[in-house]
Amino acid sequence: MPENPALSVPDLLFLDARLSFDQGAVEELLELSFLGKEAAAGLERSLSSLRVDGDWDPALFADDLFLRDLVRETFSVELEGLRYPINSAFLFQVAASPPTSLDGVLFRQKILRELESEPEFMASARALYRDTARLLDLFKAPDHAAQLDFDAHRLDIFRQAKKVIDRMVSDFGDARSGLVRLAESGRDLQASRPYRRLSELLDFEKRQATLRVDLDIGADGEIHDLRLLEIDENTKNPHYLSRRRQLWHRVLAIFGGYRLNRRTILRRLLQRVYEEVAPSLVPLLQVLAHLEVYLAAFGFKKRLENEGYAVCLPKFSEDQPVKIDGLFNPLLLEAGGPPVPADLAVDATRPILLLTGPNSGGKTRLLQALAVTQTLGQAGLFVPARSARLQVIKGLFVSLVETETVHAAEGRLGREMKRIRSVFQQVGTPAMVILDELCSGTNPSEGIEIFDVVLRLLDRFDTAAFISTHFLDYAAGLEKDKPLDGLRFLQVAGDEHNLGRFQFTPGVARSSLAKATAERLGVTFEELSEVIDRRRSH
């Protein structure tokens, strides 16, 4: 299909329409399946790989956001009470490789808005998704009927492919968003020779001949006589073979050492038509994958709203700072939450924001929620917030989770220095950098010195940086002296009696409330002394 410039690609994700999958690889796997070979696993792998020319590197943020888990656990497609198994690997690639132009983001948002505001398009999208899912199922897992009559199963594949193409044309011609590409691509396919051959074959298979008969029916309702008056064969169909031509083909085959019957001829006919139709099938499977992104996004929205949380499609601005109301961390839904919404606002377009506050005050979860919102929002999807204003960025770096490995060549400080270096070496600009507890892995004097270097470098970098720290005296000094124009400060709005508010106000916290946290968790001299005494008494 891509080799023919007359045929448009049904791309619902990218402004510059393309095939998301490797055409050759998927086509080869489909042919194996059509020939009766097992190809389900290979198809799953090929349809999970998205071809993206993006600036974001998932290795720099995805693991710290548990993005694969988020997609797998909170995105879903459910139609008429039936939950469909989604291609979470493909959906992860879409979320982790967002467009880096505003037009690319808005292209996806417009599709979501049209589906949300126009019930007929939503119904059509769901029906088309069911049809394309059925087409893929026919290739991946032939049912029992296929094992009994494989030729009938192949005809089912052709019927389903035609059904998908016809629905694309009939249901989306009036769309105002990128959904109209479905109709455009479908019309191109209907005008193509492969589609005509497919239609002719199905017409011939459905109506090889018309019989006219006379029936004598008795008073008992039984047929007593049947007289065949006329046989009108479908001679106008290109696949029609007269009895004489069928006999002639068999004679030629016998002299060639072959034994042909009507079933053998049908199989050859099916294979010949499939070879013409095959290039058009990969784009139909792309329709399935792309529709799934949008329907799963609505599944995400429904899941969060059912839990009592508001979601939105964010606005984007180049010259206004980030502002998010009702921001919450959806990862906490699976962790036993519940997440508590918070508001986040800064007054600088490229802030370097230092976040301070007590332990268990929600700093890490806020940073994680911010990064998830930026990722999903720029991917054109719903975000976990009541309202949001974001900026389109070309790079994201997130470091929240410190993991130890057996084969690590560096200690914690060395690994932290490497992650800091990777920020400036690998992240495109403009960017967002999120660092949790920067330089906490060394003594305070050396940590503060490195911290200062990082801040001055970030000031030279075209980036918005959000950094949590427990260096409270250092942060208070920065707030007082304001050595960098972009420096901003937020603190957790809570005390030892109210650590669950998860709200943030301007300023620097005066204490990390480590003593209050220890008391809350039972790590005091008195309580642990009682534990020791009880153990000794036994």
Side-chain angles (χ1 to χ4, degrees), residues 231-302:
I231 301 177
D232 181 16
E233 293 187 300
N234 190 9
T235 58
K236 294 182 179 180
N237 191 288
H239 298 293
Y240 171 77
L241 287 179
S242 67
R243 289 186 175 85
R244 181 178 299 176
R245 290 179 64 192
Q246 291 180 41
L247 178 60
W248 177 244
H249 278 288
R250 293 179 188 176
V251 170
L252 291 178
I254 289 171
F255 279 104
Y258 300 100
R259 296 291 184 268
L260 295 183
N261 53 33
R262 290 178 63 86
R263 182 172 292 276
T264 306
I265 292 173
L266 175 61
R267 286 181 177 174
R268 289 193 172 186
L269 180 59
L270 290 171
Q271 185 61 34
R272 187 166 70 243
V273 172
Y274 179 80
E275 289 170 358
E276 290 193 52
V277 172
S280 302
L281 297 178
V282 177
L284 299 186
L285 297 185
Q286 171 163 297
V287 170
L288 172 65
H290 287 198
L291 277 178
E292 188 168 271
V293 171
Y294 294 101
L295 295 181
F298 280 105
F300 173 77
K301 178 177 185 289
K302 181 179 179 181

Side-chain angles (χ1 to χ4, degrees), residues 129-331:
Y129 179 80
R130 284 194 298 267
D131 289 345
T132 49
R134 173 59 179 160
L135 177 61
L136 180 58
D137 285 343
L138 288 170
F139 275 107
K140 288 171 61 176
D143 54 24
H144 182 64
Q147 299 173 24
L148 297 177
D149 189 345
F150 198 67
D151 294 332
H153 178 72
R154 290 172 165 183
L155 285 168
D156 284 343
I157 290 177
F158 286 148
R159 290 191 195 95
Q160 195 66 22
K162 184 177 184 301
K163 184 178 182 180
V164 168
I165 294 169
D166 292 347
R167 187 181 293 280
M168 288 164 60
V169 175
S170 65
D171 289 8
F172 296 96
D174 295 330
R176 297 182 301 276
S177 69
L179 290 171
V180 75
R181 287 182 173 180
L182 296 172
E184 294 169 351
S185 179
R187 283 193 292 266
D188 285 349
L189 285 169
Q190 285 182 337
S192 68
R193 172 183 166 84
Y195 179 88
R196 290 196 300 273
R197 295 280 285 170
L198 175 63
S199 299
E200 291 163 356
L201 173 63
L202 293 175
D203 177 64
F204 179 67
E205 184 274 333
K206 181 180 180 181
R207 192 179 64 85
Q208 294 190 41
T210 302
L211 306 181
R212 277 185 281 277
V213 298
D214 266 351
L215 299 177
D216 290 338
I217 302 177
D220 57 359
E222 297 292 332
I223 296 175
H224 291 279
D225 192 16
L226 182 151
R227 294 178 296 279
L228 181 62
L229 300 179
E230 184 179 359
I231 301 177
D232 181 16
E233 293 187 300
N234 190 9
T235 58
K236 294 182 179 180
N237 191 288
H239 298 293
Y240 171 77
L241 287 179
S242 67
R243 289 186 175 85
R244 181 178 299 176
R245 290 179 64 192
Q246 291 180 41
L247 178 60
W248 177 244
H249 278 288
R250 293 179 188 176
V251 170
L252 291 178
I254 289 171
F255 279 104
Y258 300 100
R259 296 291 184 268
L260 295 183
N261 53 33
R262 290 178 63 86
R263 182 172 292 276
T264 306
I265 292 173
L266 175 61
R267 286 181 177 174
R268 289 193 172 186
L269 180 59
L270 290 171
Q271 185 61 34
R272 187 166 70 243
V273 172
Y274 179 80
E275 289 170 358
E276 290 193 52
V277 172
S280 302
L281 297 178
V282 177
L284 299 186
L285 297 185
Q286 171 163 297
V287 170
L288 172 65
H290 287 198
L291 277 178
E292 188 168 271
V293 171
Y294 294 101
L295 295 181
F298 280 105
F300 173 77
K301 178 177 185 289
K302 181 179 179 181
R303 164 75 192 281
L304 297 183
E305 288 179 340
N306 286 345
E307 296 282 350
Y309 297 96
V311 302
C312 71
L313 286 177
K315 297 179 180 180
F316 286 86
S317 173
E318 293 183 358
D319 55 4
Q320 290 184 291
V322 169
K323 185 178 187 300
I324 308 174
D325 295 328
L327 173 66
F328 64 95
N329 193 328
L331 291 165

Side-chain angles (χ1 to χ4, degrees), residues 491-509:
Q491 61 179 321
V492 176
D495 53 35
E496 64 269 25
H497 304 296
N498 188 13
L499 289 178
R501 288 178 57 194
F502 292 93
Q503 295 301 322
F504 300 84
T505 59
V508 175

